[in-house]
Amino acid sequence: MFFSNTVRGRLTRESVMFSTLRLAAFINMFALFSVCTFLVWNGLPAISWEFLTQPPSRAMTAGGIWPCIVGTALLAIGALVISFPLGVASAVYLHEYAGQSRFAKYIRLGVNNLAGVPSIVFGLFGMSFFVIYCGLGISLLSGVLTLAVLTLPVIIGTAEEALRQVPMTYREASFALGATQGQTIARVVLPAALPGMLTGAILGLARAAGETAAIMFTAVVFFTKKDVDSLFSPVMALSNHMYVLATSGTDIDKTMPLQYGTALVLIVLVLGMNLLAIVLRDRLQNRNW
């Protein structure tokens, strides 16, 4: 009798916990669906070929967002090109060489703290160091470097976790065949951990593409018709363009459809880049298996 009551109690608690988790998942999915539906409903009427391929005009109340699309893509991809190799190299050092030393613990503590720092702090750092001290000015390069610093903690954390998931038997088998530690890391460990590392790259790419505060003082300008012709040219970005239209526009009500259209394009752009990275990750994972 006591045994049956105990089992019944455990099943009841398990049922309650699963119901709570299902409710939380449903609330999150409903909120995401509501936001996406709202943006599609309000932003879709603004989408046109002119909107996607022309620069803004008539004091930002007409025209399109082509310079913003180009600037956002360049900033996000450029930041990933810099931060991903550095993040992977840092994770390899922390996990494969430093191990659980006191120095490595301090580095991990610093990385975890940086992952929670507000993006405006990175923006002020980028303005002080890259824009003023290094003399790069308001430019694509300053924004890329700032976003690279911003996304680096996330990539380091996920890359190190991916290295932990590689079985130790892989390393031991490589050592038994006479490979050095460097050869083992390059030819055995990194290929096995690469799909997991790309998860961090996806998160970093999505965050970089949607940032505003980090690039507001380092890379973007209110308006420019000139195409990006060098790393030292300022750019426009979708997130900052929405902020400008909503706070500094000459006719807020008239630009409202443009704001919704810009938000919709930003979501689609981030989704497209994420899907591309996910497909690449899955292909690498299937090849490894």
Side-chain angles (χ1 to χ4, degrees):
M1 185 67 178
F2 175 77
F3 179 76
S4 61
N5 290 335
T6 302
V7 173
R8 189 180 299 108
R10 289 179 178 177
L11 292 176
T12 301
R13 289 193 296 270
E14 180 179 325
S15 177
V16 171
M17 289 302 300
F18 275 115
S19 299
T20 303
L21 293 176
R22 291 190 186 97
L23 178 62
F26 173 78
I27 292 174
N28 288 329
M29 293 300 298
F30 178 77
L32 177 62
F33 178 78
S34 300
V35 171
C36 292
T37 303
F38 178 79
L39 288 178
V40 170
W41 180 264
N42 291 278
L44 198 58
I47 303 299
S48 65
W49 181 250
E50 178 186 359
F51 183 74
L52 298 176
T53 59
Q54 298 296 323
S57 60
R58 299 179 189 175
M60 310 284 281
T61 60
I65 55 172
W66 174 249
C68 306
I69 296 174
V70 174
T72 300
L74 290 176
L75 286 168
I77 296 174
L80 186 63
V81 168
I82 295 176
S83 61
F84 186 70
L86 290 177
V88 171
S90 301
V92 168
Y93 169 75
L94 289 174
H95 187 267
E96 302 295 330
Y97 292 98
Q100 297 300 321
S101 64
R102 180 175 297 180
F103 179 66
K105 292 180 180 179
Y106 289 149
I107 294 179
R108 292 188 182 96
L109 178 62
V111 169
N112 293 333
N113 288 333
L114 284 176
V117 172
S119 58
I120 186 64
V121 177
F122 288 98
L124 294 175
F125 164 77
M127 181 185 66
S128 302
F129 185 72
F130 297 122
V131 175
I132 299 176
Y133 182 78
C134 297
L136 299 178
I138 304 296
S139 63
L140 173 63
L141 183 58
S142 296
V144 164
L145 293 174
T146 303
L147 289 176
V149 175
L150 174 70
T151 57
L152 194 58
V154 176
I155 294 178
I156 292 175
T158 54
E160 188 176 7
E161 184 61 31
L163 291 173
R164 291 194 189 100
Q165 300 303 318
V166 178
M168 188 58 64
T169 54
Y170 285 23
R171 300 173 177 84
E172 294 171 351
S174 179
F175 293 147
L177 293 174
T180 63
Q181 186 172 9
Q183 291 173 331
T184 299
I185 293 173
R187 300 180 182 180
V188 177
V189 178
L190 283 179
L194 187 57
M197 293 178 177
L198 287 178
T199 301
I202 294 170
L203 296 174
L205 183 66
R207 184 175 184 185
E211 278 297 334
T212 303
I215 60 176
M216 187 182 300
F217 310 115
T218 59
V220 297
V221 291
F222 179 82
F223 172 72
T224 178
K225 281 188 175 181
K226 185 177 68 173
D227 294 332
V228 180
D229 53 6
S230 73
L231 290 174
F232 301 99
S233 299
V235 297
M236 297 181 69
L238 291 169
S239 56
N240 185 73
H241 186 62
M242 282 189 294
Y243 172 77
V244 168
L245 291 178
T247 59
S248 305
T250 56
D251 192 342
I252 303 299
D253 294 333
K254 193 173 182 179
T255 61
M256 192 67 69
L258 302 180
Q259 297 175 39
Y260 287 124
T262 303
L264 181 59
V265 171
L266 177 59
I267 289 180
V268 173
L269 182 64
V270 172
L271 180 62
M273 289 189 292
N274 285 347
L275 288 177
L276 183 62
I278 290 172
V279 170
L280 178 61
R281 181 193 63 185
D282 292 342
R283 287 187 176 182
L284 290 173
Q285 192 170 12
N286 293 332
R287 188 181 67 180
N288 289 336
W289 282 105

